[in-house]
């Protein structure tokens, strides 16, 4: 009869056996002692098995298990009776390639059972309930650097057949090792079977993880104070000063900004006297030089005794595209500019002459 750590019977284990003389005979259970060695000592170079939950057993164990009516998949409970406190874990079997009298265990399993190389370990065949929930806790904050935890765990747990509460398993991802503790399992409180089952995974905060502190926003309370130099005053007064400075800046910008249609207008119904008395707006020039004194040469645009051009005095919003072109006196352009050119005085030609009637 098969049982888990709590001694409860599961599945087919409670119905195995046959009646003889009116009594129900219990099935024989596989239970053997082997010398435990780490996977690194396996002659077949099975280093990848360190990141899983399966062991290597001798071929004789397969022969004996095949004669027993066991529940598949094969699950085993490992116990170290010689430790100060009884150590135990659960595992599956990867291969039956170990030497007689030996089993090879992953390194994390050797540490869990407090086994030294060559120490005896008890191997017992058991049946476990299919798990529905497991709670894990990474042993370092480096686990948070993994972008897709779900995909990494799904791939890593394929190398495990069972999970036991209290174990600290080791997985490998991107050439780095991550240690993860098993905190809780359901429906069994001690160990579960995770082969071909829908397993929900819950995470606890990694060891050494510190929650980021949330800073209170400034000015959230009406009684908050803001320090300015050696003086302290309520933050509301500072906000008032800022608003006043913004309003002053806006008024200054609006006063210097270009505004169209500032000239004075005339009404049609007004008298001639009103038109005569109304002041005429002075025409504004596009340059500092009056329009009637437009420069004729490049040197005339220079100020008296100055080597630099006179700066343009343009109203805001006005674009200046340069002065009118005035050819130098005596040039060909100046001689031809006054000559009238007769336009459209040519004679037309036709292909067929009109016949005279």
């Amino acid at each position: 009869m098969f049982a888990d750590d709590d001694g409860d019977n599961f599945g087919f284990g409670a119905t195995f056996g046959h009646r003889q003389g009116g009594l129900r005979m219990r099935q024989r259970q596989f239970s053997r002692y082997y010398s435990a060695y780490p996977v690194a000592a396996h002659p077949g170079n099975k280093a990848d098995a360190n990141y899983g939950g399966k062991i290597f057993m001798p071929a004789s164990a397969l022969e004996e298990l095949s004669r027993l009516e066991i529940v598949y998949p094969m699950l085993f409970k490992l116990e170290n009776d010689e430790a100060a406190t009884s150590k135990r874990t659960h595992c599956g079997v990867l291969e039956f390639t170990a030497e007689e009298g030996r089993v090879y265990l992953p390194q994390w399993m050797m540490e869990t059972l407090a086994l030294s190389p060559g120490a005896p370990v008890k191997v017992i065949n058991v049946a476990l309930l299919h798990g529905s929930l497991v709670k894990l806790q990474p042993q370092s904050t480096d686990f948070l650097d993994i972008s897709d935890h779900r995909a990494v765990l799904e791939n890593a747990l394929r190398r495990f057949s069972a999970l036991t509460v209290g174990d600290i398993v080791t997985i490998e991802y991107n050439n780095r090792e991550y240690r993860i503790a098993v905190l809780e399992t359901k429906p069994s409180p001690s160990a579960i079977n995770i082969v071909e089952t829908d397993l929900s995974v819950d995470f606890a905060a990694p060891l050494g993880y510190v929650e980021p502190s949330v800073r209170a926003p400034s000015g959230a309370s009406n009684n908050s104070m803001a320090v300015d130099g050696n003086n302290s005053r309520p933050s509301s007064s500072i906000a008032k000063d800022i608003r006043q400075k913004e309003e002053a800046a806006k008024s200054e910008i609006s006063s210097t900004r270009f505004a169209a249609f500032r000239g004075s207008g005339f009404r049609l119904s007004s008298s001639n006297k009103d038109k005569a008395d109304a002041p005429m707006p002075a025409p504004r020039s596009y340059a500092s030089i009056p329009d009637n004194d437009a420069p004729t040469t490049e040197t005339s645009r220079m100020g008296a005794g100055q080597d630099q051009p006179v700066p343009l005095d343009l109203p805001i919003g006005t674009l200046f595209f340069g002065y009118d072109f005035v050819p130098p006196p005596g040039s060909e352009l100046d001689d031809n500019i006054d000559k009238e050119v007769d336009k459209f005085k040519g004679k037309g030609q036709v292909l067929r002459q009109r016949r005279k009637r």
Side-chain angles (χ1 to χ4, degrees):
M1 181 173 60
F2 302 106
D4 71 344
D5 289 344
D6 299 330
D8 297 330
N9 300 331
F10 293 126
F12 304 102
T15 62
F16 284 163
H18 60 278
R19 292 184 179 275
Q20 182 177 1
L23 298 177
R24 183 177 181 84
M25 303 299 295
R26 290 187 176 183
Q27 162 120 10
R28 290 186 304 153
Q29 186 179 22
F30 180 86
S31 179
R32 294 290 182 271
Y33 279 92
Y34 294 99
S35 298
Y37 289 89
V39 171
H42 194 284
N45 189 16
K46 306 290 185 178
D48 291 342
N50 270 322
Y51 308 112
K54 300 180 181 181
I55 65 174
F56 296 86
M57 299 180 67
S60 60
L62 176 60
E63 296 178 1
E64 185 173 355
L65 288 167
S66 61
R67 293 194 297 266
L68 302 175
E69 297 178 357
I70 62 174
V71 179
Y72 288 90
M74 295 183 184
L75 299 178
F76 301 91
K77 179 171 67 173
L78 307 182
E79 292 182 347
N80 181 10
D81 298 335
E82 296 184 357
T85 58
S86 180
K87 305 286 186 180
R88 60 98 178 94
T89 188
H90 295 81
C91 66
V93 58
L94 185 60
E95 294 178 1
F96 293 92
T97 58
E99 298 91 332
E100 290 299 326
R102 288 190 176 189
V103 289
Y104 292 93
L105 281 61
Q107 184 61 37
W108 70 264
M109 203 174 290
M110 297 283 291
E111 296 174 358
T112 299
L113 298 175
L115 293 172
S116 58
V121 61
K122 187 178 182 180
V123 182
I124 307 170
N125 176 227
V126 295
L128 300 175
L129 289 176
H130 286 279
S132 60
L133 173 68
V134 62
K135 187 174 183 179
L136 306 176
Q137 182 185 36
Q139 299 299 290
S140 70
T141 56
D142 295 339
F143 189 76
L144 300 177
D145 297 336
I146 300 177
S147 59
D148 193 349
H149 303 86
R150 178 179 179 180
V152 171
L153 280 177
E154 183 179 354
N155 185 48
L157 292 180
R158 291 176 182 174
R159 301 184 178 184
F160 292 79
S161 298
L163 293 176
T164 308
V165 174
D167 285 355
I168 300 179
V169 302
T170 302
I171 65 173
E172 187 267 344
Y173 173 70
N174 201 16
N175 297 327
R176 294 185 62 180
E177 293 184 357
Y178 299 93
R179 294 168 59 83
I180 301 177
V182 181
L183 302 182
E184 181 183 355
T185 58
K186 289 182 180 181
S188 175
S190 56
I192 56 174
N193 175 10
I194 63 171
V195 178
E196 297 181 357
T197 182
D198 294 331
L199 186 65
S200 299
V201 180
D202 189 14
F203 284 95
L207 291 181
Y209 176 74
V210 179
E211 289 286 346
S213 59
V214 180
R215 296 181 178 179
S218 59
S221 175
N222 294 332
N223 297 328
S224 59
M225 302 292 290
V227 179
D228 183 12
N230 297 327
N231 300 325
S232 298
R233 54 179 179 174
S235 58
S236 58
S237 63
I238 296 180
K240 185 177 180 181
D241 294 345
I242 294 175
R243 285 195 297 267
Q244 291 178 352
K245 291 181 180 179
E246 291 178 351
E247 292 176 357
K250 290 180 180 179
S251 61
E252 182 179 357
I253 293 174
S254 61
S255 62
T256 58
R257 183 178 299 173
F258 170 76
F261 309 108
R262 286 186 175 180
S264 59
F266 299 94
R267 295 182 301 176
L268 297 176
S269 60
S270 60
S271 61
N272 295 334
K273 182 179 180 181
D274 297 337
K275 294 181 181 179
D277 296 340
M280 296 294 293
R284 300 198 62 178
S285 173
Y286 289 99
S288 59
I289 303 175
D291 292 339
N292 53 1
D293 297 335
T296 57
T297 61
E298 181 68 21
T299 56
S300 63
R301 290 191 287 114
M302 300 291 182
Q306 295 182 359
D307 295 335
Q308 298 296 332
V310 177
L312 298 175
D313 183 14
L314 300 177
I316 296 176
T318 303
L319 299 178
F320 177 69
F321 295 98
Y323 299 96
D324 296 335
F325 175 73
V326 178
S331 63
E332 296 180 357
L333 295 176
D334 188 29
D335 297 338
N336 297 332
I337 197 170
D338 296 332
K339 296 180 180 179
E340 294 184 358
V341 179
D342 295 335
K343 301 177 181 180
F344 305 107
K345 290 186 177 182
K347 297 180 180 180
Q349 302 292 335
V350 295
L351 296 178
R352 179 180 297 179
Q353 297 292 335
R354 180 178 296 181
R355 296 179 181 182
K356 297 181 180 179
R357 296 180 181 180

